[in-house]
Structures are given as structure tokens and as C-alpha cells.
Amino acid sequence: MVDGTIIDTLNINARDLAKKWKDLIRKAPQLKQYAALDDEGIIDEGASIYPLLARTLDRGLDRAALGDFFVRMGKDKMREGFPISEVIYGVNLSEQVVIQYIMTDFVLDSTIRMYQAMGVVNNVAEFFLLGCFYLTKGFLEATYTNMKGKDSVSEELLKKYFRDDFFFKKD
């Protein structure tokens, strides 16, 4: 059982968490594509992930909702010209914001709450790890379809380098 305070914070204070995420993004010199975005754009993007995490912590893992969100994010980021490494690092920073909140702002005033927080951190880590899996699939799927369509790369060559089982493939 996840404490309602954590779920409420993820829902109600998603923009505040996203502002912390934006600050981490701004401090990371590796994130050149994100650096080109304005602060509001970064905050808007960051705020969208926390309500899904709250829903997952509250109701359990919904692979369809999680997959849809992150596959779409991967495809969008590919089309926007982001390197996959930056996107995954950005997602990792979102995870750090949540874990930092749980470990510092969520009052760990008893042994029970401390154990509960450790369980929540495990669930958060699972959410973001699975999210990166789906994000990568979406990014690669968009790359595959662009190369096949716009760049006219042969199916044989694509299959050689894209060994993943994309959602649209019917092998």
C-alpha cells in the first residue's frame, strides 16, 4: 500500500516536481537537445510523467497505459531530433526527482514509513525501467519506419540492424 501523500504529491504537485527536473536538465551538459528548449517547454514535458506514475503506484502496473505513454514519447522524441541517450537520461532524472522527494520530503518518522518508502522506491524504479524499455521501442520503431519510408532503406538491411520485435511487425 502506497501512502496517499506520495500519490497526491505526484498528481497535485507535478509541475513543482517538473521544475526540479528542469533544474537537473539545465545542470546536465550532456543534454544539448533539452538545453535548446525553453523552461516552460521542459516543465510541461516533465509534468506529464508524474500523474501516470501516481496512477501506477495507486492502482498497480498497467502495462498498456505505461507502454502507450512511453512508446509515444519515444516516437515523438525521435521525430523532434533527440538522441535516444538524452531521452533516457532525461527519464532517469525524472526518477531521481521522485526518489529524492521520497527520501527527503516524505516524512520518514517511523520504521514502518521507512520500509514503506523503500517499497515505493522499488516500484518507482520498476516504473521508470519499464518506461525506458517502451521508450526505446518507440524510438527505434519510429527510426525504422522513417528509414523504410522516407529514406527507402531495404527491408533486408533494416532487419539486419533492427532485430527488435516492434509492435507493428507481423513476423
Side-chain angles (χ1 to χ4, degrees):
M1 177 77 184
V2 176
D3 189 291
T5 306
I6 294 172
I7 293 166
D8 289 346
T9 297
L10 291 169
N11 278 317
I12 297 167
N13 298 329
R15 286 192 63 77
D16 293 335
L17 294 170
K19 287 176 186 174
K20 292 178 182 181
W21 181 66
K22 183 251 324 160
D23 293 341
L24 292 176
I25 293 283
R26 292 288 185 227
K27 290 177 187 173
Q30 313 86 321
L31 302 179
K32 293 178 176 105
Q33 285 294 123
Y34 279 105
L37 300 175
D38 66 358
D39 286 353
E40 271 310 301
I42 293 173
I43 292 167
D44 288 342
E45 182 176 326
S48 66
I49 201 167
Y50 300 114
L52 177 61
L53 174 58
R55 195 166 46 249
T56 300
L57 293 174
D58 188 33
R59 299 180 190 155
L61 187 64
D62 179 352
R63 285 184 182 270
L66 186 80
D68 180 59
F69 179 86
F70 281 103
V71 165
R72 195 170 356 98
M73 177 192 284
K75 289 179 178 183
D76 290 346
K77 290 297 163 199
M78 186 273 169
R79 288 184 196 110
E80 293 168 15
F82 279 73
I84 187 68
S85 57
E86 278 196 39
V87 182
I88 290 173
Y89 189 53
V91 169
N92 179 260
L93 292 177
S94 290
E95 178 181 7
Q96 286 181 26
V97 166
V98 175
I99 291 173
Q100 184 178 33
Y101 158 72
I102 292 168
M103 301 312 279
T104 58
D105 296 348
F106 182 67
V107 181
L108 302 176
D109 57 358
S110 70
T111 305
I112 292 171
R113 280 181 71 100
M114 186 174 70
Y115 279 112
Q116 182 183 41
M118 288 171 34
V120 172
V121 167
N122 283 337
N123 291 341
V124 167
E126 180 184 11
F127 171 89
F128 282 103
L129 181 61
L130 193 55
C132 283
F133 167 78
Y134 285 117
L135 181 138
T136 303
K137 286 185 86 66
F139 191 96
L140 291 174
E141 187 175 304
T143 302
Y144 180 99
T145 54
N146 268 1
M147 291 176 76
K148 184 176 180 181
K150 292 179 184 174
D151 299 332
S152 301
V153 176
S154 73
E155 185 72 25
E156 181 180 306
L157 187 59
L158 288 171
K159 283 184 179 182
K160 179 178 178 183
Y161 292 105
F162 289 91
R163 298 181 186 107
D164 215 324
D165 59 332
F166 297 122
F167 296 111
F168 65 88
K169 282 176 127 179
K170 306 276 193 270
D171 289 338

